[in-house]
Structure formats: structure tokens, C-alpha cells
């Protein structure tokens, strides 16, 4: 058989690594995988690792509308993220009805560099009637929150509405994902500390002790048990939350959990020293808890790693230098999650390349039914990251396109660098520049309806 292209290199498959392998591509799909040479245009990546393109299920392209799909997906492509799932809490309007969803899909098809699936959400009250319609228009999954960031855009959905949503979603088989933090405790402690003029950097973490996250997750899993909903806990920051998820999994509840690269690579000291650039929700945790997260990751208790990418206007972030509560929460990440996690998982901890691929791509594709993505396998889209596993580099902000400083990583040393990003067989980023136009990326429709 004559292939359009043949990629040669160290190929990371689901359960094995071909040290010298060949991937045959036709019409943007992986058609053959072999240890013997294949016929076609050879692209030689000998000495480099060919990994499945990363899937980041937690990206906010429109929390700051100045960013949007063109910019965010460019960062994704440069960072080896070939597919992401965009969060629904957009400014000015959240994706809680089909009119807004359809507009977002048009924007996506016009501006995206990578393939993108979309989260839907529901209004604080009386929104569950939109669930089926949003699914029919192609959302991949639903996101809700137990914490109120904004009453309209990012509300705390009351428990009776959560139950209603879970009951509907249980029927469809689609996953419901939750930001789990206890609104009352966090709001109460924040008010108290501000009144006491305790607005130092660590005050942010002091208003969100571990139980604000773990107790909210516990409640949601108990709701899932009784409604039969499939749920996903986003951005878990603390090992206690992972332990509870493990317990519920063992009891038969259909729950998955994600952590973010920040909760594995940074700790409370970074928040203390840096302030706003290291402020996120939930907050960074003490070093021993970060170690606890790594233990769970090694034991397979964490399903996937996301970035929770968000780029705020630097002027807004800077307000937090006077008073940490004044800074918006969240960090960029879609451009750096792959190289930073490759360094942490593969270079520093010597964990298998397959484990890296599962955490960064395969498990997300399976959990959210993202078809033909997430692994290098016959019939799947030819979405790859090419990494030089030996190249060492120092974190210099100027080498990144992200519009806001990733200060916590400044001057740190890493090993393993992205050389190329390939989507559906085409190079989209060649290690220096983007080589496709906006619009190359496509909307990925949600799972087939049950
Ligand atoms: Zn988020």
C-alpha cells in the first residue's frame, strides 16, 4: 500500500513503545503501524518520540474575550495540544442555550487551529430544559459548579437543580462535570479575612481549606450514586479528594477525576512568593499534599491532567499585589502543559511513556467519547506530538506566545522539548511557527445520542 506520509520514530502506542517504528497515514488517519518500513513520503523523526496529540479537557478561551479561539488554539498547537474541550463560562454569555452554542461553533470553525469540542452548561435556575437541545447541537459534556464565581456567567447551581440535571444526564449517558468547592465556607472565610485586613498572598489558600473541595466532591458523588449520573470532578487539588473518588469508584459510582498541571508542579510556597500569578481555584497546596497527588497519579487514581487554561488581562491580575482577593483566579497552561508534564512524568520520574499518553490524551478521549482521538491506533486521526526527549531548556517567557507571564516557572530547567505538532496528518506547528491557517481546526461533535 502507498501511504500519503510515513512517520518514523519512537512510537508510543497504548500498551507498548515501538523503538523504531513506522506510521502510515492516509487521508489524515493512521492506517498502518509497523516495525518494517512502509511505502510513502518518509518523514524521519529518528531519535524523537511520537506521542498521541494531547487532549486538554479544561480550557477557557472566552473568560477573557480578548483571547478567543484563534489565540487560544494557537497556544494549544504550539504546546502539543491537538484537541481541547472549551469551557462554557464565556463572557458575556455562558453556553447555556443553543443560540449561543451555534454562534460559538461558527466562530470555532473560522478561527481554530486545533480540533475543539465544547462544554455546555445550565442556567442557575430552570435551565435543565436546555440539556437535551444542547446535546442535539453537539456539546460533549456539561459543566456545573457548586461555587459561585459569577451569578449569571458561572453560577453555583443549587442542589435541587443539580439533582434534576443529573437525572436527565443519567438518561443520556453523557458525563456531568463539576467544579467542586463549598460556596458558603469559602465566601464566609473570604469575608472574614478581608474584614480583618488579612489580604496577604496565602490568605487565598486560607479561605479554601481542603475540606471545601473534598466535601463538595463527596456530596456530588453521593448525588451521582442515587441518580445514576456519570460524573467528573474537575481540577482536584488535594489527595483527600482523590481518596474519596477512589472510594466511590470502588463502590461502583461512575466517577472520574482530573487534576491540573499546577497542582503537580507548584505548591503553596509559590502562592506565598508570587501572589497573583500563582492564584487559582482551588488554591495551591502545601508540598506534602503535592507529594500525595503524585502518589495517587503513580497508583492510577487520577484519570487525566488538564491545564484549566485561562489568560486574564495583566492589569486585572496586578490588582492582587495590593490585596490577593482582588486578583482574578487562574493561570494559562495550554501552551506549556505538555512539555512541563513530560519533564515531570517522563524525564524526572521515569514513568512509562504510555502512562504519559494515557494521562494526557487517551483517558480523556475515552471518558468524554471523543471519537478517533487520544491514541496512535489504526483508524484514529493522525494527531501527534513530536518530542525530543533529550533536549534541555530553561523557562524563558519570551519563548512562549502566552500573553501573560508564567512567573512561577521562570528560570526553571526542563528536559524534553516539542519539535512539531501534527493534526490529521498535517504539521500545524513546526517547532518555530504555525504552518496552517486559522480554520484548520474543526468542531468535534459530542457523543452519539443514546
Ligand atoms: Zn476552569
Amino acid at each position: 500500500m502507498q501511504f500519503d506520509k510515513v512517520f518514523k520514530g519512537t512510537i508510543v502506542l497504548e500498551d507498548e513503545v515501538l523503538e523504531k517504528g513506522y506510521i502510515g497515514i492516509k487521508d489524515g488517519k493512521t492506517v498502518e503501524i509497523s516495525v518494517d518500513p512502509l511505502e510513502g513520503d518518509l518523514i524521519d523523526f529518528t531519535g524523537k518520540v511520537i506521542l498521541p496529540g494531547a487532549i486538554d479537557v479544561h480550557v477557557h478561551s472566552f473568560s477573557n474575550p480578548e483571547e478567543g479561539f484563534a489565540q487560544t488554539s494557537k497556544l494549544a498547537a504550539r504546546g502539543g495540544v491537538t484537541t481541547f474541550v472549551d469551557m462554557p463560562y464565556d463572557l458575556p454569555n455562558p453556553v447555556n442555550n443553543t443560540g449561543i452554542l451555534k454562534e460559538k461553533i461558527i466562530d470555532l470553525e473560522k478561527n481554530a487551529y486545533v480540533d475543539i469540542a465544547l462544554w455546555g452548561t445550565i442556567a442557575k435556575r430552570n435551565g435543565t430544559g436546555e440539556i437535551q437541545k444542547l446535546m442535539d447541537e453537539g456539546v460533549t459534556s456539561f459543566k456545573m459548579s457548586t461555587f459561585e464565581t459569577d451569578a449569571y456567567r458561572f453560577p453555583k447551581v443549587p442542589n435541587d437543580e443539580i439533582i434534576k440535571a443529573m437525572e436527565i444526564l443519567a438518561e443520556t449517558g453523557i458525563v456531568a462535570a463539576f467544579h467542586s468547592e463549598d460556596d458558603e465556607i469559602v465566601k464566609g472565610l473570604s469575608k472574614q479575612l478581608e474584614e480583618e485586613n488579612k489580604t496577604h498572598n496565602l490568605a487565598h489558600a486560607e479561605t479554601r481549606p481542603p475540606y471545601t473541595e473534598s466535601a463538595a466532591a463527596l456530596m456530588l458523588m453521593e448525588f451521582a450514586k442515587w441518580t445514576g449520573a456519570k460524573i467528573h470532578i474537575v481540577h482536584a487539588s488535594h489527595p483527600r479528594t482523590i481518596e474519596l473518588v477512589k472510594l466511590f469508584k470502588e463502590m461502583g459510582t461512575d466517577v472520574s477525576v482530573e487534576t491540573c498541571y499546577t497542582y503537580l508542579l507548584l505548591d503553596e510556597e509559590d502562592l506565598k512568593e508570587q501572589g497573583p500569578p500563582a492564584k487559582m481555584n482551588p488554591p495551591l497546596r502545601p508540598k506534602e499534599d503535592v507529594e500525595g497527588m503524585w502518589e495517587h497519579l503513580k497508583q492510577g487514581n487520577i484519570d487525566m491532567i488538564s491545564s484549566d487554561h485561562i489568560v486574564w488581562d495583566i492589569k486585572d491580575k496586578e490588582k492582587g499585589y495590593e490585596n490577593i482577593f482582588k486578583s482574578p483566579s487562574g493561570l494559562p497552561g495550554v501552551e506549556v502543559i505538555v512539555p512541563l508534564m513530560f519533564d515531570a512524568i517522563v524525564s524526572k520520574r521515569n514513568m512509562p511513556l504510555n502512562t504519559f499518553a494515557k494521562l494526557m490524551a487517551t483517558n480523556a478521549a475515552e471518558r468524554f467519547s471523543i471519537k478517533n482521538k487520544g491514541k496512535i491506533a489504526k483508524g484514529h486521526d493522525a494527531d501527534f506530538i513530536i518530542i525530543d526527549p533529550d533536549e534541555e531548556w530553561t523557562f524563558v517567557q519570551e519563548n512562549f506566545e502566552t500573553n501573560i507571564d508564567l512567573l512561577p516557572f521562570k528560570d526553571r530547567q526542563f528536559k524534553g522539548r516539542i519539535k512539531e505538532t501534527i493534526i490529521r496528518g498535517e504539521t500545524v506547528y513546526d517547532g518555530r511557527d504555525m504552518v496552517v491557517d486559522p480554520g484548520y481546526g474543526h468542531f468535534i461533535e459530542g457523543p452519539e445520542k443514546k
Side-chain angles (χ1 to χ4, degrees), residues 58 60 87 143 235 308:
H58 200 149
H60 298 264
M87 282 291 164
K143 168 92 181 277
H235 57 44
D308 199 357

Side-chain angles (χ1 to χ4, degrees), residues 43-327:
I43 297 142
D44 194 347
F45 291 121
T46 299
K48 315 273 189 300
V49 180
I50 307 178
L51 284 149
I55 298 178
D56 188 343
V57 301
H58 200 149
V59 172
H60 298 264
S61 298
F62 293 93
S63 287
N64 173 2
E66 299 284 301
E67 291 286 309
F69 277 137
Q71 173 67 7
T72 308
S73 65
K74 185 205 260 186
L75 303 181
R78 294 177 58 96
V81 173
T82 54
T83 296
F84 67 78
V85 193
D86 203 60
M87 282 291 164
Y89 300 124
D90 300 352
L91 255 177
N93 298 304
V95 182
N96 62 16
N97 66 61
T98 53
I100 290 164
L101 175 65
K102 283 179 189 166
E103 279 173 35
K104 193 167 181 179
I105 294 169
I106 292 169
D107 183 343
L108 187 166
E109 287 281 350
K110 207 168 110 203
N111 291 308
Y113 287 100
V114 307
D115 292 343
I116 302 172
L118 297 176
W119 292 91
T121 189
I122 57 170
K124 189 177 171 78
R125 281 277 174 205
N126 307 315
T128 52
E130 297 297 315
I131 289 176
Q132 187 62 50
K133 294 178 218 164
L134 285 163
M135 276 182 63
D136 291 341
E137 292 300 326
V139 297
T140 282
S141 188
F142 283 83
K143 168 92 181 277
M144 285 162 268
S145 182
T146 59
F147 178 79
E148 187 144 292
T149 303
D150 180 286
Y152 168 61
R153 189 176 62 86
F154 199 150
K156 166 189 169 17
V157 177
N159 290 345
D160 56 325
E161 296 280 345
I162 288 179
I163 293 286
K164 267 190 235 166
M166 280 191 183
E167 281 169 347
I168 295 170
L169 289 163
E171 289 291 311
T172 66
I174 209 169
V175 179
F178 291 90
H179 175 130
S180 62
E181 283 187 300
D182 185 283
D183 194 70
E184 289 171 7
I185 302 172
V186 172
K187 296 273 164 69
L189 286 173
S190 302
K191 191 165 170 275
Q192 185 193 326
L193 288 194
E194 274 212 89
E195 279 168 5
E196 292 167 1
N197 268 324
K198 290 180 183 153
T199 58
H200 55 288
N201 292 343
L202 272 183
H204 175 60
E206 288 159 19
T207 62
R208 302 175 118 93
Y211 51 80
T212 56
E213 171 182 303
S214 60
L218 182 64
M219 178 192 76
L220 292 163
M221 291 190 288
E222 187 64 6
F223 290 172
K225 182 249 176 307
W226 290 101
T227 57
K230 289 184 185 180
I231 69 163
H232 176 76
I233 305 293
V234 305
H235 57 44
S237 68
H238 197 277
R240 177 66 183 170
T241 306
I242 312 296
E243 272 166 46
L244 293 174
V245 169
K246 184 168 177 269
L247 191 67
F248 269 78
K249 279 180 178 172
E250 285 162 4
M251 292 192 295
T253 302
D254 194 340
V255 54
S256 54
V257 65
E258 136 208 336
T259 189
C260 301
Y261 79 108
T262 42
Y263 303 121
L264 294 164
L265 303 181
L266 301 172
D267 60 54
E268 214 174 57
E269 283 302 304
D270 295 289
L271 172 62
K272 192 177 167 191
E273 280 165 33
Q274 308 271 353
K279 184 192 177 195
M280 69 206 74
N281 299 339
L284 293 172
R285 302 296 183 188
K287 232 184 195 79
E288 59 268 28
D289 294 329
V290 175
E291 276 317 306
M293 292 298 280
W294 275 102
E295 252 339 286
H296 280 299
L297 194 82
K298 286 178 191 159
Q299 287 166 20
N301 298 334
I302 295 174
D303 298 285
M304 62 195 81
I305 305 169
S306 72
S307 69
D308 199 357
H309 174 89
I310 195 160
V311 179
W312 294 113
D313 190 310
I314 185 73
K315 287 191 210 75
D316 288 332
K317 265 291 198 194
E318 281 171 350
K319 288 175 192 157
Y321 285 114
E322 295 285 311
N323 170 345
I324 192 69
F325 295 111
K326 299 258 184 284
S327 161

